[in-house]
């Protein structure tokens, strides 16, 4: 039976506005978790414009302002807390959000389909 929850990292591993942490879903799709304004958010790491990973340098997902996730390929900007594309070739579309919880210093991913070890 597929797992429904998995420890991704410790809370202290994610600095607010710092690098994202990458992980892999069971179906092989890359994903990431980012702390932004104190909250953790996770998305499938695939641009809504063309299905490529957003980051050229692993985990470097925020733009210079620290306010937007940016796709390194064509510069689409995404709201870190909703995944909505606010500027660029896919404006109005969004990243696929993943469900997380953060409790007792741990960040867990929840998915009925489970996920693979990286
Ligand atoms: S592939 Fe991301 S903006 Fe074009």
């Amino acid at each position: 039976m597929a797992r429904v929850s998995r420890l991704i990292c410790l809370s202290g591993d994610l600095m607010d506005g710092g690098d994202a942490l990458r992980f892999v879903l069971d179906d092989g799709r890359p994903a990431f978790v980012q702390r932004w304004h104190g909250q953790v958010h996770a998305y499938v790491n695939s641009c809504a414009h063309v299905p490529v990973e957003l980051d050229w340098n692993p985990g470097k997902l925020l733009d210079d302002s620290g306010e937007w996730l940016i796709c390194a390929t064509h510069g689409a900007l995404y709201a870190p807390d909703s995944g909505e594309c606010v500027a660029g070739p896919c404006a109005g579309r969004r990243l696929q959000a993943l469900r997380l919880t953060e409790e007792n210093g741990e960040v867990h991913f929840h998915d009925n389909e489970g996920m693979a070890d990286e």
Side-chain angles (χ1 to χ4, degrees), residues 47 49-50 52 71 73-76 89:
C47 186
H49 178 219
V50 175
V52 297
C71 176
T73 301
H74 303 122

Side-chain angles (χ1 to χ4, degrees), residues 23-111:
F23 60 98
V24 177
L25 301 173
D26 256 357
D27 60 10
R29 290 178 298 165
F32 67 89
V33 56
Q34 174 83 54
R35 185 181 299 282
W36 185 77
H37 290 192
Q39 301 297 312
V40 290
H41 304 278
Y43 299 98
V44 174
N45 192 357
S46 181
C47 186
H49 178 219
V50 175
V52 297
E53 296 183 16
L54 277 72
D55 50 336
W56 275 341
N57 292 314
K60 305 289 186 191
L61 284 154
L62 290 173
D63 71 351
D64 289 343
S65 76
E67 295 301 312
W68 307 104
L69 299 170
I70 186 167
C71 176
T73 301
H74 303 122
L77 298 178
Y78 295 92
D81 57 348
S82 69
E84 182 178 356
C85 182
V86 297
C90 45
R93 299 181 69 186
R94 60 181 59 231
L95 300 174
Q96 183 177 346
L98 301 171
R99 196 161 75 85
L100 292 176
T101 56
E102 183 174 26
E103 288 182 335
N104 303 319
E106 296 181 340
V107 176
H108 290 260
F109 166 71
H110 302 273
D111 184 354

